[in-house]
Amino acid sequence: MRILIKNGLVIDPSRQMEEKLDLLIEAGVVKEVSASINVGPSSPDQVIDASGQWVVPGLIDLHVHLREPGQEWKETVASGAAAAVMGGFTAVCCMPNTDPVNDSAEVTEFILERADTAGLCRVYPIGAVTMGSKGERLAPLSELKKAGCVAFSDDGQPVYNPEIMRRALEWVRMFNAPISCHEEDKHLSRGGAMNESSLSERMGLIGMPKVAEDVMIARDIELARVTGGHVHICHISSARGVELVRRAKNDGINVTAEVTPHHLVLTEEAVEGYDTNAKMSPPLREEEERLALIEGLSDGTIDVVASDHAPHEAASKEVEFSEAAYGILGLQTSLPLLLDFVDSGTISRLRMIEVLSTAPAKVFNLKGGSLKEGKVADLTIIDPQVEWIFSPETVKSLSFNSPFIGRRMKGAARATIVDGRLVMLDGQLIRSA
Ligand code: DOR
């Protein structure tokens, strides 16, 4: 298949490029990027006029929950992949807190097979660090890696035992994979439903203090220091956590970090009306923490934005705030929420594409993140101006838990191309024949 994209603004952080160019895709790779491409007598299968639009390396989300196997009423690999490509993502990495937990080659292979059948984006499984994510015995990390896992995590849970974490880091260092760490000491946050603050007191809810996150970040940085293993900090939410990562990077420690769009956009005030769609772990925090996250993203302390797309059915959310499930949707709202930061001049568009594509590819050693000639043709065309409302009708997930439902958005993915194949154009999914 040959696709010619004309007149778009090509933004490629892998070579610091922002230039109005044409781009030709052939046989699954970027064949040519130049001022004016004429393909001669043999016309391409598809010509897309991207005037006024951005042509960028495909967006990559390092942190999503696809719920299959085991909780298919919340999301499936296929529905999650549909939400991903609608949101402009060409690849997603799915967390292992399924049922059963992805702690075996069988589960990894099952997820890969489902992704193949869905035929939309790349799906990279993340394997558990410990069996059942129970923190007691190491999972078969080499076997999981061989089966296709790109990283390891007990997301939702910390790995409490530092001896196990140390061994895990020693293992993954051998095959150059990260451990994606959910940093929360639940002895400090247990039963918590929101950020610990004067607001949580006023609302009569048990708070989750920032120190519950910070102590685990500090520990894992020290374990990365002694082992040389790669610690990736999931969904960082505190200013102190950002400072710990900043210092660790200055010390040359093998640590990277991600932040979610919702922690960049919202504060704890979003839960004021006991809106369970604003409940997640880690919780939304105070304004000064939010500003520290933005600063960390701007100065490179935080490497990537990842959505923590966490679908939950209505029954898990339409309950008392303290009983509601943690987590919100993310795949279809990440891009427009980040575009708002570009519009306000908070981050440059080059940095935005870097944190959504080039950096995630590098952090998890994945294909993509670049539009250099010869690279795999995973790319996204973004219309930065289009206005739309994130409504239940636009949601491709099986769940609707988002505090952004009803919000007017500016900017969206116009087309998503995976491995040289158009999988979404103008809001229509295109599955392989
Ligand atoms: O809010 C969250 N939801 N945080 C997590 O760590 C887990 C996730 C989920 O699985 O729903």
Side-chain angles (χ1 to χ4, degrees), residues 139-150:
L141 304 181
S142 310
E143 179 188 312
L144 287 164
K145 180 77 172 49
K146 266 191 222 119
C149 289
V150 294

Side-chain angles (χ1 to χ4, degrees), residues 65 67 97 155-156 182 235 279-282 308 310 312 326-328:
H65 297 271
R67 308 299 189 206
N97 62 339
D155 186 46
H182 176 109
H235 40 50
K279 178 178 175 181
M280 73 278 298
S281 172
D308 194 6
H312 288 292
Y326 299 98
I328 71 168

Side-chain angles (χ1 to χ4, degrees), residues 62 230-233 245 249 255-259 296-297 300-305 351 354-356 358-360 362-363:
L62 298 187
H230 178 174
V231 162
H232 177 71
I233 312 288
V245 172
K249 285 189 164 185
V255 59
T256 52
E258 71 185 34
V259 64
L297 189 67
T301 302
I302 298 174
D303 302 81
V304 309
V305 171
R351 177 71 183 144
E354 183 174 33
V355 300
L356 283 173
T358 309
K362 191 162 161 235
V363 167

Side-chain angles (χ1 to χ4, degrees), residues 29-108:
V29 298
V30 177
K31 178 84 177 161
E32 189 183 341
V33 189
S34 64
S36 179
I37 303 177
N38 291 306
V39 285
S42 60
S43 55
D45 299 306
Q46 185 114 24
V47 180
I48 302 174
D49 181 9
S51 302
Q53 295 164 4
W54 304 350
V55 180
V56 308
L59 310 184
I60 300 173
D61 195 333
L62 298 187
H63 189 146
V64 306
H65 297 271
L66 298 183
R67 308 299 189 206
E68 193 177 0
Q71 294 186 309
E72 290 84 356
W73 63 93
K74 292 178 192 274
E75 194 77 291
T76 62
V77 172
S79 63
V85 300
M86 284 301 287
F89 289 93
T90 53
V92 297
C93 302
C94 58
M95 283 296 180
N97 62 339
T98 46
D99 185 12
V101 165
N102 184 9
D103 58 12
S104 68
E106 283 84 353
V107 177
T108 302

